[in-house]
Amino acid sequence: MPIRGGVPPRNPRFAGREDLLARVRDMLGNGPVVLLPSPEHQLGGTGRTQLAVEYAHRHAASYDLIWWIPAEQTAGTRAALAGLAQRLGLPEARDLNRTLGAVRDALSRGEPFRNWLVVFENANRPEDITPYLPSGAGHVLVTSRNPRWTAEVAQSLPVPVFDRADSVDLLRSRAPELSIGDAERLAERLGDVPMALDLAAAVRDATGRPVAGYLADFERRSGELAFPTPVRVAWGLAAEALGADSPADRVLLELCTFLASAPISWRLLWAARTLPLDPELARTVRVERRLRAAMRRIGRYGLAELDPAGERLTVHPLIRGMFGQELSSERHAELLRTVRGMLAAADPGDPDDPAGWYRYTELAPHLIHSDLLGGDAEEVRQLVINCIRFHYARGDYDSSRDLASSAVARWRDALGESAEQTLLASFHLANALRAVGRNADARSLNLQTLRTQREVVGADDEATLATANSVGGDLRMQGHFGQARQLDADNLVRYRRLFGESYPTALRCANNLAADLRLLGDFRGARTLDEQVLRHRQAIFVDGHPEIVASRAELGFDLFGLGDYAGAAEVLAACPGDDDHPFALWAGRCAAMVARRRGDPAARALAEANLAVYRQRFGDLSVDTLAAAVSAANCALADGDLDAAHELLERAVIRYHAVLGDEHPFTLVASAGLAGVVRASGRTTEARTIDQEVLSGLRRSVGSDHPFTLSCANGLAADLAAAGEAQQARELAADTLRRSRAVRGADHPDTAACAWNLALTGGDEAARQQALDGLVKVFGDGHPVFRVTAAEQRLETEVDLPPL
């Protein structure tokens, strides 16, 4: 049996369609096929979805994998494809777009399944699914109401009404005692439209109504309508019969028509029990067994499909639309308020917790159809905000951005720019914009939001502080480390005053301040803060919690920056080694950096494995991936592989220019690293040109005493010495050593390296011996650094970039 995902159960009363099923099979061999309504029934009801379901079940043995994707909304499509990624065994990327691209590519390659069937149901906007369409040996089947499909995307197959014989077979499958003559009379009056036939059969089955009585009612109902169609009349009779049997059931179904075509679970409907309802409906929804019985009755009348377990109802789009047309404006508004309240009552809260994501996955498709953005209750708008955050937390940044953008636009008009939830939506929109690479837009929106929050609710409001933290992240991304430190220090004082220093959000703010200090080269200050944060987190969380891993990784960076490689290795040893969480990846990169500085030959393999995971999870343009590439290049350089180091750094420099800009300190540091490889290749004139430009940029951006600047100055001194400009080289080397002693300390490995380089530039034998003694003190005997000193060569002080 094939692996299946989301495939609806087979319809035991499916009738006919043999020619169409054969055509679908033949056409799929030539590419994707889209099932459309026939031209004379553009609104649907001709059985496209049932045809697709029957095809999937009938030909299941031909496939290794069958995956059903609800495509009415993009978020639902993306969620179903994410589930397929897990089934294909694909590693999860932080950005869902990368995961979805991997799904498409894996299917196209036929790995691990060569024969597959993917069905996109209700794909009414071709452009929404085109990016996800795979090629290869598998098959793609689409159902849609939109005739605007081009031959380049999919082959169109209109699905007509039944042949008369098929109509008779369908009616008699529901009522075997029905004579052929009566079945033909019904079929003729119902125009052989599959949905109309199914509704009529269901009503007759539920009520026992004879053919003559049903046809009389059909004529009566037709006469009441200005534009009667078989589906509209049959639907009206079914809804009328349900209401006569149980008025509460009809109201329950009316509520369902304000939701999407996605399955509606009894738990979602049960959430309405807390709302003010009509007494009969309240009696139904407040007790689970009554609610489930009502769902069965709705399914029995053919007005919705009930899954075999009796857990979920699915309402056809046509049914939804026809109910909506029958409601007065007052009734429509009343039901809409109830549906919005029901959805809000079903909100599990805490959208960052993966344990509740399955609940948000169920709720999210219904936001559009219930026009939740137009809700006037605070809890309704909070559900929207939580769904925005849910999409972001699971890596679906596009869906988060789209929903947040719609919310901001609607709420600015309805509530005003300074309304609390408009500002919250703006905050989340900025996060999503940053995540999709629109850093300038995120920065501008965050600043605007922060200014308004400070004016309206004050600087000490928790939402204001959250936005201020986000602005700090923007400043770090811009390379304005000093401004970020100033802002984050102010935030930390406020958080601690309001919530105490062990409050989780206050700890995250302290974490941000430590990151600022680390980026400014103040590793001592960062270490003090990170040690405090780690102690508090260990008291709050269980060991292995991501925030504890983050603290250990960051403390490891601090110790590495201080030159305490043994201490860093000890701290990092407690971090998971096989986890692809971002914090664990930070720790893994730092472990490779430490191993390199300690002379461990395994360093390069660690760095390359770490870089591979970064690329898979975050893509080549992520700043974290680029930092990992710089670290891997440093390992390749230490290993003597200049070609690999050059390739890694050259690409990193190009991408840093594109992502962070020409003057960002990280762009300049990567360029300095590239100069080091160029210098090691003997092209010292080219290296000098790069180093001079980089040193000037670093002095402007982070100052002359920053470790980034000192590393570049050390490289430029080597360039000058190679060019025969001994005096300039000696002066620069002496200045760099003096600054390194003041900033990093006399016992720091990079200070010891600067001392050796100065001794080479013009020192006597005693100075060289003193410099060697300093290197032995910090590195120990037998370290690979002494192969360089034995060859009378200068030592590099390469930079590994901290996380932004």
Side-chain angles (χ1 to χ4, degrees), residues 589-607:
R589 179 162 73 89
C590 191
M593 292 155 39
V594 169
R596 183 188 78 245
R597 283 295 183 104
R598 299 182 80 184
D600 186 343
R604 184 177 182 185
L606 291 174

Side-chain angles (χ1 to χ4, degrees), residues 41-200:
H41 291 87
Q42 285 297 317
L43 293 178
T46 58
R48 290 162 292 122
T49 297
Q50 287 300 319
L51 183 66
V53 171
E54 177 63 18
Y55 177 86
H57 285 280
R58 184 173 297 195
H59 294 284
S62 302
Y63 297 105
D64 304 316
L65 170 87
I66 303 175
W67 210 260
W68 193 276
I69 299 171
E72 189 174 32
Q73 294 181 30
T74 303
T77 304
R78 293 163 67 82
L81 287 168
L84 177 54
Q86 294 179 355
R87 180 60 73 176
L88 294 175
L90 298 173
E92 180 185 358
R94 180 68 173 169
D95 182 348
L96 187 61
N97 283 335
R98 292 184 56 75
T99 301
L100 303 189
V103 169
R104 180 197 58 227
D105 295 344
L107 291 175
S108 298
R109 293 192 306 269
E111 298 174 357
F113 305 110
R114 177 172 173 77
N115 298 311
W116 45 262
L117 171 67
V118 175
V119 183
F120 291 89
E121 180 191 12
N122 281 334
N124 296 317
R125 287 167 45 92
E127 60 271 23
D128 286 347
I129 72 164
T130 301
Y132 312 124
L133 292 179
S135 56
H139 293 160
V140 176
L141 186 58
V142 182
T143 72
S144 177
R145 291 194 309 274
N146 186 351
R148 192 170 47 85
W149 288 80
T150 64
E152 290 77 16
V153 177
Q155 308 162 81
S156 297
L157 178 60
V159 178
V161 299
F162 276 150
D163 294 335
R164 181 59 49 82
D166 291 344
S167 298
V168 170
D169 287 346
L170 174 64
L171 291 169
R172 297 191 73 201
S173 70
R174 294 287 293 259
E177 76 284 356
L178 187 67
S179 70
I180 292 177
D182 282 345
E184 288 179 337
R185 287 168 59 206
L186 277 171
E188 182 176 0
R189 190 65 190 90
L190 294 166
D192 295 305
V193 179
M195 177 178 280
L197 292 165
D198 197 59
L199 284 165

Side-chain angles (χ1 to χ4, degrees), residues 678-700:
V678 170
R679 181 167 49 253
S681 303
R683 301 179 347 247
T684 54
T685 302
E686 183 181 343
R688 176 180 178 175
T689 300
I690 298 172
D691 277 328
Q692 285 176 327
E693 184 177 345
V694 168
L695 183 59
S696 176
L698 287 171
R699 284 172 172 167
R700 288 193 304 272

Side-chain angles (χ1 to χ4, degrees), residues 660-680:
L660 296 180
D662 299 347
E663 294 298 317
H664 194 284
F666 279 25
T667 307
L668 297 171
V669 165
S671 299
L674 180 60
V677 177
V678 170
R679 181 167 49 253

Side-chain angles (χ1 to χ4, degrees), residues 148-270:
R148 192 170 47 85
W149 288 80
T150 64
E152 290 77 16
V153 177
Q155 308 162 81
S156 297
L157 178 60
V159 178
V161 299
F162 276 150
D163 294 335
R164 181 59 49 82
D166 291 344
S167 298
V168 170
D169 287 346
L170 174 64
L171 291 169
R172 297 191 73 201
S173 70
R174 294 287 293 259
E177 76 284 356
L178 187 67
S179 70
I180 292 177
D182 282 345
E184 288 179 337
R185 287 168 59 206
L186 277 171
E188 182 176 0
R189 190 65 190 90
L190 294 166
D192 295 305
V193 179
M195 177 178 280
L197 292 165
D198 197 59
L199 284 165
V203 169
R204 290 190 63 255
D205 183 42
T207 64
R209 192 173 303 176
V211 172
Y214 184 85
L215 287 174
D217 287 338
F218 196 94
E219 296 303 328
R220 170 184 57 80
R221 181 72 179 169
S222 295
E224 295 169 355
L225 298 175
F227 301 102
T229 65
V231 171
R232 186 168 185 79
V233 176
W235 161 80
L237 293 178
E240 183 181 277
L242 176 66
D245 183 17
S246 173
D249 293 354
R250 172 163 177 150
V251 177
L252 186 66
L253 178 58
E254 287 174 344
L255 292 177
C256 291
T257 63
F258 285 84
L259 301 172
S261 295
I264 304 164
S265 77
W266 70 267
R267 289 180 180 83
L268 175 54
L269 298 172
W270 196 40

